[in-house]
Structures are given as C-alpha cells and as structure tokens.
Amino acid sequence: MATSNIIYLNELRTNAVHLASESSIITDAPKDNHGKGESFSPTDLVATALGSCMATVIGIVARRKELPVEGMTVAVRKFMSDDLPRRISRLELDLAIPLSASHPDRKLLESAANGCPAHHSIHPDIEVVMNWSWND
C-alpha cells in the first residue's frame, strides 16, 4: 500500500499528500540548490523526520511510564556535504526534556530516542549528534 502521492508542481516544488490522512506537505528546493527555499526541502524532511521520530518514541515511553514530557522540544540542524554527491553529512539535534537530569528514567528516554526507526534508517555515513538538555 502506498504511503503518499507526490506531484511535481513547477519551479522545483512538489506537493506530497499522505494517503491515510490526506494532509499535504509542499517541498521546495533550497536556495543553494536552484530553488526558492520557500518550504521544507526534501533533505529538510529527512532531518525533521529524525527529530520528530525521536520525540514520538520518547512520548511513547513517557506515556507508558506516566512521565510528563509535554513541552519537550527538539531543534534540528542539517549540514550538507561540500563535495559530490550532494547529501546530508551531519545532523545535530538539541533535545530539551522537561524532567530532571537525575530522573531515574533518563537513560531509558535517551535509549528510546537512539532506537527510533528513523535513526536506524539514517545512513551510517551521516554523523548524528544528540545534545540533551534536562530541567534542573
């Protein structure tokens, strides 16, 4: 079964429709690759998917353990290679968790983020750096 349908609109822009929900995302080529940079680029979506997946699996664990993680944030920075082929070379994620650094489930939450499906799908040549911030 298909996950999405993508239509090329024009001027390096696509419209991707999620078939189950009919929600859509516009992508645009970045300014440094001949585009207008007016929306997420496809590689921005890869980076964003990683951060969203980590937040989601932390949320799953937190729900099971009844931990209040509402307000958790994940900031993602994407770095592209300088050489060819053009590709993501590094992803940096700043995860801010609204729990104490001494919380007994800290390692469990960190492990959940490291084990998310998107993280397991990232090519091993892409450096992934996770910076954790806890409330203290």
Side-chain angles (χ1 to χ4, degrees), residues 47-60 112-113 115-120:
T48 301
L50 178 60
S52 181
C53 188
M54 288 181 175
T56 300
V57 297
I58 289 171
I60 290 168
C116 85
H119 195 202
H120 283 294

Side-chain angles (χ1 to χ4, degrees), residues 57-69 99 103-106 108-109:
V57 297
I58 289 171
I60 290 168
V61 171
R63 179 191 294 171
R64 185 177 70 236
K65 302 283 279 181
E66 298 182 359
L67 303 175
V69 295
L99 297 171
H103 194 282
D105 290 314
R106 173 184 175 165
L108 178 64
L109 296 175

Side-chain angles (χ1 to χ4, degrees), residues 85-107:
R86 185 174 171 83
R87 66 196 181 286
I88 299 169
S89 60
R90 178 181 171 99
L91 295 169
E92 294 180 1
L93 299 97
D94 299 331
L95 297 99
I97 311 298
L99 297 171
S100 169
S102 62
H103 194 282
D105 290 314
R106 173 184 175 165
K107 294 296 181 192

